[in-house]
Amino acid sequence: MSVSAEGAEQVGASTVGLRVDGLSKAFGGTRALHDASFAVERGQIHALVGGNGSGKSTLIKILAGVCRPDAGEVEVNGRRVAAAEVTPEWAHGAGLGFVHQDLGLFEDLTVAENLFSGLPYPRRGGRIDWAALYGAADRVLDELDVGVQASRTVADLRASTRTLIAVARALRGREDLHAGALILDEPTARLATAEVERLLEALRGYAARGQSIVYVSHRLDEVLAFASEVTVLRDGEVAARRSAASLTPRELARLVAGREVAAAPPARRAAAEEDGARPAVLEVRGLDCGVVAGCDLDVRAGEVVGLAGLVGAGRSTLLRALFGAERRERGTVRVGGRALRRGDTADAVGAGVGFVPEDRAGQGAFLELGVRENLLASQLPAYRRLWLRRGREDDATAAAIRDFGVRCPGPEAELSRLSGGNQQKIVIARWLTAGTRLLLLDEPTQGVDVGARADIYALIRAAAERGMAVLVASADADELLELCDRVVVLERGRIGAQATAGELSHEWLLSNVYGESLAEERNA
Amino acid sequence: MSTDAVVDAPSRTRSRRRAVGPIVERFGLVWALLALIAFFSLWPTTSDSFLTTDNLRTLFANEAVVAIAALGALLPFVAGQFDLTIGAIAMLSSMIVAAIVTETGVPLVAAVPIAVVACAGVGLISGSVVAYLRAPAIVISLGMATLIGGVVLLYSGSRSIIGMPAALTDFGSLTWLGVPRPVWLLLVVVLVVGFVIRYTVTGRSLLMIGSNAEAARLVGVRTRRLILLSFVLAGLFYGVAGVLLLARTGAATPGDGLGLTVGALTAVFLGATTIKPGRFNVPGTIVGVFFVAVSINGLTLAGAADWVDPVFTGAAVVVAVAASTMLAQRRSG
């Protein structure tokens, strides 16, 4: 408590929007949260950061009333209760609004239908009074400056607008923004930089009007630029409470990890002549697939190539088309000289291509299977001598757990029991075997904490050192700068600017990735 | 030796204590089955009829049919495909064998493989539609089951075919080493299906498809081919169950086989509440078969009326599906 006292005591307790005191929760023998306390002033933007498994999710679940804590108290607008008594109804009544990472919007419904989902729609003569519904929705959107019509279908809207609609739904009934608190769990994880800025701008506006905001994020730069106070959780305890102004990103990273975060391994930055001598592992000619059009691309052995571009530029589509997850319409893809059949993932795997999809839970992981089944999913035939040799599988799994620094109870442990970062390590490690010549990664560190992120970068670099060709799609400029020998920008499905390590910088990425959209905004 | 044991002891007890909840969950159905057996052995009304060699042999021999069908169904089920053709294909198999041996000169040893292959062929049809046209398995298999029942009816004119050769009925009724022959056949099927699921790339791939079909495709599993294969193998085992049914009853009776379908499904879902809770598994399925069978057998011996069987089985399906769904959610949540 003493850490934050100086800041908190100047203003009276009545100005506190949300306070949690001594929250503790254990699952079986594991301490998820221990004596966690923090307070958010009214109108303050308070960041909650921490690695995977640090207790952030548990804390949010307790506030939402979906997880019953062992001890602690919660106070919202001066209403104080034992945290164990918080129910979803209480949380809503007290004015706590939540926006989760997957926004929980109904994509095919209109903005108004989404805003009022779960509430009785206005009725007239027993029928839904659509005019009244859209009128009410337009008033809410207007009040919150969302800048969208209530009759639009959510699926047609840009990502930041969709997030703002989820925010508006969470603020429903208290658009005056004076009471309660808004709790946002990684709202920017799926947004491109320009979209992030737009969302944060709107949130800043709400805070200025008096709304307390709890903001959970892995993007530390963004946290420091956006929040005024930062609470760091580590291993279920509050490790630090600081004002954002007093921290540098590096200090914050150290607080989150609880140790010095290894600076990115010095990228190879090899001379161009040396690269020229290496054989091209991936050769793409004239590839058409959905938004991707006329794509030519080579990736050499040992080279890490980044794919940058705005949301919708076709980064994911290109990777999926290369792997055969999507059927390309035209063009050839050769890996190690061998032409890949289109739309045939098994053929790609056979040629030594690995793919780590963006959506881990939906497309990458077998959550209810064990670590072993997940790790060896793509290499089963190697463990078959007439039948699958469980002993060899277990040896290989134990070795991978050790080599890749995975924290898990053992090879049998169900993947869903691991933290997000450790799950992602397993999903990537699946391909880090001798047989893989080309690794395709789509947002490899999304939703992964700082410590695990550094580990994953090290794994990818090490694989490249051994001669693997790597193609990484990422919306995260830091990630591309840290990881890649060369970055290729996709613009509306076409290959645009390219830069090698020496020429790469934040500025280069900014002007080449966002240049076009910035120009558009200026014209608009 | 003794030192090792002492050093090892504390950690082992600790892990055991922590695992008490899961153990109750894991073996709940097994305990329930043992309790049922104890109850019917001691209850005065059934005590002199339940625990007799004759009763147990009949029980085991009859349930071998259900168990083989259920184990066949397990293959599409672990891949997340609900197959309802179980009983219909078994009936078809009975009919084919009976028709061949009574109406042609083809010997039994040829008739059985013909029937079983035909059943695998039916699995090939429903499997192709499900896998390649991506139609929902539950609807396709329901349609196929109805269609097969109709075709059997058309052929047989709703008359039973009787007059099976002794070689066949002997297999259904005699014992080997004191154990009914159908049970030996069941043992073989248990080993085969257990091996396929646990020790083959095919089985592991089916588990992967059942867990996350898209993720399976993205690690290079040929998901459609494997789903098709699971239906073919399942059809084959339903065919074997059908031949065994004919061997037990000595007559092929046309029908839609709905009773066998429900019995096998009950066992599969009950099986998912035990041994590996939340997952379809081989030992659980066997426990499930005998849990239902012992209950109904005991109640029947106690003089329960005809309606008890469907009421009990129906209730067991509902409870088993609800429980296994709940367990699966708890595991993932």
Side-chain angles (χ1 to χ4, degrees):
Chain A
M1 288 300 285
S2 58
V3 185
S4 70
E6 22 175 327
E9 264 162 22
Q10 290 168 359
V11 273
S14 61
T15 65
V16 169
L18 166 71
R19 185 200 298 280
V20 304
D21 248 337
L23 277 193
S24 293
K25 171 73 185 175
F27 293 104
T30 322
R31 229 169 49 172
L33 209 53
H34 182 69
D35 197 22
S37 308
F38 69 90
V40 187
E41 303 295 320
R42 194 162 291 174
Q44 189 191 58
I45 299 173
H46 193 112
L48 198 57
V49 299
N52 293 107
S54 63
K56 296 185 313 258
S57 312
T58 308
L59 200 151
I60 294 175
K61 282 181 188 163
I62 291 171
L63 288 175
V66 297
C67 169
R68 203 184 148 87
D70 304 325
E73 295 190 325
V74 174
E75 179 188 322
V76 185
N77 299 332
R79 294 169 67 184
R80 200 174 174 86
V81 294
E85 284 162 26
V86 174
T87 60
E89 292 73 30
W90 186 90
H92 183 250
L96 291 182
F98 296 85
V99 175
H100 297 287
Q101 199 175 334
D102 58 345
L103 303 172
L105 295 175
F106 304 100
E107 298 269 317
D108 297 332
L109 300 186
T110 62
V111 174
E113 286 168 309
N114 270 283
L115 277 183
F116 290 94
S117 59
L119 290 184
Y121 283 5
R123 279 163 190 272
R124 201 170 57 190
R127 289 193 223 150
I128 294 174
D129 184 348
W130 291 105
L133 177 73
Y134 283 103
D138 276 326
R139 275 193 300 281
V140 172
L141 296 169
D142 206 36
E143 186 73 25
L144 295 175
D145 294 325
V146 180
V148 68
Q149 282 173 343
S151 54
R152 294 285 297 276
T153 302
V154 167
D156 300 338
L157 302 173
R158 58 199 277 203
S160 58
T161 306
R162 273 187 266 182
T163 311
L164 282 172
I165 288 162
V167 170
R169 190 176 56 180
L171 288 170
R172 202 169 55 188
R174 42 193 194 85
E175 292 87 20
D176 58 2
L177 296 169
H178 292 309
L182 180 63
I183 293 145
L184 302 149
D185 189 0
E186 298 248 19
T188 58
R190 284 167 188 275
L191 300 184
T193 308
E195 294 283 273
V196 170
E197 215 21 73
R198 175 163 179 254
L199 173 67
L200 297 188
E201 201 46 54
L203 293 175
R204 273 191 203 105
Y206 302 160
R209 287 161 64 184
Q211 181 64 202
S212 310
I213 295 178
V214 176
Y215 179 77
V216 177
S217 178
H218 282 312
R219 295 185 173 182
L220 302 184
D221 297 349
E222 183 185 297
V223 161
L224 291 180
F226 178 54
S228 53
E229 290 280 318
V230 182
T231 295
V232 180
L233 284 174
R234 195 194 314 138
D235 298 329
E237 298 190 39
V238 173
R241 257 168 311 202
R242 301 280 176 79
S243 79
S246 71
L247 282 169
T248 65
R250 191 169 175 79
E251 282 166 345
L252 184 54
R254 195 170 54 228
L255 287 171
V256 169
R259 60 180 158 96
E260 191 64 33
V261 178
R268 209 164 33 79
R269 318 292 192 220
E273 306 86 75
E274 190 209 328
D275 273 356
R278 290 177 178 250
V281 172
L282 172 70
E283 296 161 284
V284 186
R285 294 292 174 270
L287 178 76
D288 284 2
C289 179
V291 63
V292 174
C295 172
D296 294 338
L297 182 67
D298 282 8
V299 180
R300 300 182 180 284
E303 190 183 27
V304 181
V305 175
L307 274 180
L310 294 170
V311 172
R315 287 171 307 184
S316 292
T317 310
L318 174 55
L319 290 189
R320 291 175 61 81
L322 294 181
F323 188 66
E326 252 158 66
R327 212 178 156 78
R328 63 177 186 267
E329 288 133 24
R330 214 164 293 114
T332 58
V333 177
R334 287 176 179 278
V335 173
R338 170 176 157 187
L340 298 188
R341 292 157 52 95
R342 50 179 191 164
D344 188 344
T345 57
D347 185 52
V349 173
V353 186
F355 175 49
V356 176
E358 178 181 12
D359 174 8
R360 180 175 62 239
Q363 305 186 335
F366 304 99
L367 288 175
E368 56 266 43
L369 298 185
V371 170
R372 171 184 53 211
E373 283 79 4
N374 274 279
L375 184 73
L376 306 179
S378 58
Q379 359 163 346
L380 282 176
Y383 296 88
R384 177 177 55 193
R385 302 278 180 282
L386 293 179
W387 64 87
L388 286 174
R389 304 299 168 124
R390 307 277 280 202
R392 290 186 197 195
E393 287 191 81
D394 286 343
D395 292 347
T397 308
I401 288 172
R402 197 179 54 237
D403 295 348
F404 300 133
V406 177
R407 274 165 55 178
C408 79
E412 305 271 344
E414 225 171 76
L415 201 72
S416 60
R417 298 270 177 255
L418 274 58
S419 73
N422 285 307
Q423 289 181 11
Q424 186 71 354
K425 282 187 195 172
I426 294 286
V427 170
I428 294 175
R430 180 185 284 167
W431 302 108
L432 299 181
T433 53
T436 308
R437 314 171 69 170
L438 170 69
L439 183 58
L440 309 169
L441 299 153
D442 198 356
E443 299 289 350
T445 62
Q446 187 179 90
V448 164
D449 71 80
V450 179
R453 185 175 302 184
D455 290 349
I456 288 171
Y457 291 159
L459 289 179
I460 295 170
R461 290 294 333 177
E465 301 292 334
R466 290 196 306 272
M468 200 181 280
V470 182
L471 188 57
V472 193
S474 178
D476 182 344
D478 292 329
E479 180 158 292
L480 292 172
L481 292 173
E482 208 156 309
L483 203 51
C484 299
D485 301 318
R486 177 158 66 98
V487 171
V488 175
V489 178
L490 274 179
E491 281 168 23
R492 297 165 193 268
R494 294 181 181 278
I495 299 277
Q498 299 199 25
T500 50
E503 315 156 275
L504 266 175
S505 66
H506 265 281
E507 294 64 41
W508 186 90
L509 276 174
L510 208 63
S511 58
N512 284 284
V513 174
Y514 303 108
E516 191 187 357
S517 70
L518 291 176
E520 269 173 26
E521 266 174 32
R522 251 178 264 122
N523 295 339
Chain B
M1 287 286 279
S2 61
T3 342
D4 283 354
V6 172
V7 172
D8 225 359
S11 68
R12 212 182 286 160
T13 35
R14 208 183 311 130
S15 68
R16 225 174 253 165
R17 196 174 309 142
R18 216 182 299 145
V20 163
I23 280 184
V24 170
E25 194 173 291
R26 279 188 68 183
F27 297 108
L29 192 68
V30 179
W31 293 123
L33 175 58
L34 294 177
L36 271 178
I37 293 171
F39 176 74
F40 288 124
S41 309
L42 299 174
W43 190 25
T45 319
T46 55
S47 60
D48 53 352
S49 50
F50 178 74
L51 210 59
T52 59
T53 319
D54 273 352
N55 184 51
L56 290 184
R57 276 186 184 154
T58 310
L59 179 78
F60 274 89
N62 284 342
E63 294 315 317
V65 176
V66 183
I68 290 172
L71 290 172
L74 210 49
L75 294 168
F77 270 68
V78 294
Q81 306 296 325
F82 286 31
D83 184 5
L84 302 181
T85 55
I86 306 170
I89 293 185
M91 287 295 164
L92 178 70
S93 168
S94 290
M95 258 316 154
I96 292 175
V97 173
I100 291 177
V101 295
T102 53
E103 285 170 24
T104 69
V106 177
L108 186 66
V109 286
V112 170
I114 290 172
V116 170
V117 168
C119 290
V122 176
L124 183 77
I125 297 171
S126 36
S128 304
V129 176
V130 170
Y132 288 93
L133 303 182
R134 301 194 189 152
I138 192 161
V139 181
I140 297 304
S141 62
L142 184 62
M144 285 295 290
T146 312
L147 190 150
I148 296 164
V151 170
V152 168
L153 213 55
L154 167 73
Y155 174 78
S156 66
S158 29
R159 280 186 305 273
S160 293
I161 303 178
I162 53 168
M164 293 308 117
L168 186 63
T169 50
D170 280 355
F171 185 82
S173 51
L174 297 186
T175 63
W176 189 55
L177 298 180
V179 174
R181 291 180 188 179
V183 176
W184 290 109
L185 182 60
L186 170 60
L187 196 67
V188 172
V189 174
V190 165
L191 293 177
V192 170
V193 174
F195 180 83
V196 167
I197 290 179
R198 197 177 156 82
Y199 288 105
T200 65
V201 176
T202 301
R204 183 73 63 80
S205 303
L206 289 175
L207 288 172
M208 280 156 47
I209 294 169
S211 170
N212 187 339
E214 181 62 8
R217 188 172 78 94
L218 295 183
V219 294
V221 172
R222 297 192 186 275
T223 53
R224 285 185 279 186
R225 196 178 291 182
L226 278 154
I227 289 173
L228 170 60
L229 180 64
S230 75
F231 275 89
V232 172
L233 291 175
L236 194 145
F237 285 114
Y238 306 152
V240 171
V243 174
L244 191 60
L245 183 67
L246 182 64
R248 286 290 301 156
T249 58
T253 311
D256 52 14
L258 189 63
L260 182 58
T261 302
V262 173
L265 287 183
T266 313
V268 168
F269 278 105
L270 274 174
T273 66
T274 193
I275 312 291
K276 282 185 180 172
R279 248 184 254 175
F280 299 116
N281 66 88
V282 172
T285 302
I286 299 298
V287 173
V289 168
F290 285 99
F291 176 80
V292 176
V294 166
S295 310
I296 290 168
N297 178 254
L299 293 170
T300 310
L301 290 176
D306 283 351
W307 59 264
V308 170
D309 183 341
V311 167
F312 185 90
T313 311
V317 170
V318 173
V319 172
V321 173
S324 56
T325 310
M326 198 186 74
L327 287 169
Q329 278 167 357
R330 174 128 51 92
R331 276 174 48 258
S332 60

